[in-house]
Amino acid sequence: MANYHIFSPYRVCPLGAHVDHQHGLVTGFAIDKGVDLHFDIREDSQVILDSETFTGHVAFDIATPTLVKQGNWGDYARGAKFALQKRFKLEKGIEGTIKT
């Protein structure tokens, strides 16, 4: 069993998410469905993920730029890496399983 667990709930916005992009008021709320990630921290900079929902194994290095979409569910994980690197210095990778 993995040592760490993160749950990110899906959000619902009955007025449409485009309202938020226009800096307007949004009445969005979280629901009890979402994305679960069970993981362990690695000593190197590799991210290794499997999914209980989607096929395929995802592996990439956080120290290497990822600029090209690969056309699989791993693009979301690489996108999260890209966003996190804008605010944080990422040094260690993770190994885990994701479930939606």
Side-chain angles (χ1 to χ4, degrees):
M1 180 56 92
N3 290 316
Y4 298 95
H5 173 240
I6 294 175
F7 176 73
S8 180
Y10 295 143
R11 295 187 51 80
V12 176
C13 182
L15 296 177
H18 64 279
V19 175
D20 185 38
H21 294 282
Q22 301 300 320
H23 305 290
L25 299 175
V26 176
T27 59
F29 54 91
I31 61 174
D32 64 349
K33 304 278 190 249
V35 178
D36 273 300
L37 174 62
H38 293 271
F39 68 98
D40 288 314
I41 298 172
R42 295 176 55 91
E43 291 302 316
D44 58 16
S45 59
Q46 294 293 311
V47 172
I48 301 170
L49 297 171
D50 288 301
S51 172
E52 292 183 12
T53 310
F54 303 105
T55 59
H57 179 77
V58 171
F60 58 89
D61 192 324
I62 59 173
T64 304
T66 306
L67 302 175
V68 178
K69 289 183 182 180
Q70 308 230 341
N72 59 35
W73 65 270
D75 287 340
Y76 293 100
R78 287 183 286 276
K81 174 199 85 162
F82 180 78
L84 287 168
Q85 283 181 324
K86 289 183 175 187
R87 293 192 61 196
F88 304 102
K89 183 176 178 0
L90 303 180
E91 297 176 351
K92 294 186 178 183
I94 62 170
E95 186 163 352
T97 302
I98 194 166
K99 177 180 156 185
T100 60

